[in-house]
Amino acid sequence: SVQSAGFLSDWSFTSRVDGINQIQASYVHLYGPGNYIPDVTVAFYSFRVMLGVGALMVLIAGAALFLSIKRKDLFNNRWVLRGLIASLALPYVANTSGWLLGEMGRQPWTIFGLLRTVDSVSPSVSATEVLVTLTLFCVTYGVLAVIDGYLLAKTAKQGSSIEEETDGATETPEKQLVATF
């Protein structure tokens, strides 16, 4: 067991935090024979991806805020705008990584201490039915993603309606943005 990690667990430097081997042994004693260790590699990396992408989103938002406060031509900087567009996928990556962490980290339990994952499989649903359903969901969401990308690109190519509202007056993008609020 590790004593220095107790602070992370319960705000005490003197408490003990058991490691995986100790927890496995205590679960075998409590729940019977079996492997009670989740996939540590998936949990380890999905946590770091989730945290890293979250930090990257905060960094990108902070950089955009800094540039807009310092009047550093945020709206005409091609690299910043491309970076902001590319960052649209980041929340999905963070969300999926967090979901993987939650699902893989709770294994082998569906309900901790009461129902194991192997025991919660429905006997009336075949593996083929699950595969067909999952495939249909993936195809449906793939088609929706393509449609969404097409509509976003079409809308972006049409340009802003701010120019039409200002009757062609030459204003900076910052002033136009403030005028919309």
Side-chain angles (χ1 to χ4, degrees):
S1 67
V2 180
Q3 289 184 342
S4 61
F7 184 75
L8 297 174
S9 175
D10 63 5
W11 298 93
S12 171
F13 285 109
T14 59
S15 66
R16 292 175 37 130
V17 176
D18 291 333
I20 289 178
N21 294 332
Q22 290 86 5
I23 292 172
Q24 169 67 22
S26 68
Y27 284 177
V28 166
H29 178 71
L30 283 172
Y31 304 111
N35 182 8
Y36 297 98
I37 299 174
D39 190 340
V40 177
T41 304
V42 172
F44 180 86
Y45 287 109
S46 62
F47 175 74
R48 278 149 182 79
V49 167
M50 178 184 67
L51 216 56
V53 169
L56 182 61
M57 287 188 291
V58 169
L59 181 67
I60 290 170
L65 180 65
F66 175 78
L67 289 174
S68 66
I69 289 173
K70 293 292 186 178
R71 307 269 185 216
K72 293 287 184 184
D73 205 19
L74 172 69
F75 297 102
N76 291 325
N77 188 325
R78 174 174 267 162
W79 291 106
V80 172
L81 295 176
R82 285 183 179 171
L84 289 172
I85 290 172
S87 70
L88 288 173
L90 294 179
Y92 300 105
V93 173
N95 187 18
T96 303
S97 298
W99 175 78
L100 273 173
L101 173 65
E103 290 299 316
M104 296 301 289
R106 70 178 171 91
Q107 294 300 317
W109 299 104
T110 302
I111 303 171
F112 183 79
L114 296 176
L115 182 65
R116 291 183 42 160
T117 307
V118 71
D119 299 327
S120 63
V121 176
S122 174
S124 64
V125 179
S126 70
T128 304
E129 292 171 326
V130 171
L131 180 63
V132 167
T133 304
L134 181 62
T135 303
L136 288 175
F137 274 124
C138 289
V139 167
T140 302
Y141 282 116
V143 168
L144 289 174
V146 169
I147 292 170
D148 184 44
Y150 169 76
L151 292 174
L152 286 172
K154 181 180 173 184
T155 304
K157 286 179 184 177
Q158 287 177 351
S160 173
S161 63
I162 294 175
E163 295 170 5
E164 298 166 6
E165 293 174 7
T166 59
D167 296 326
T170 56
E171 293 182 356
T172 64
E174 292 89 352
K175 290 180 183 177
Q176 291 176 354
L177 184 63
V178 170
T180 60
F181 292 107

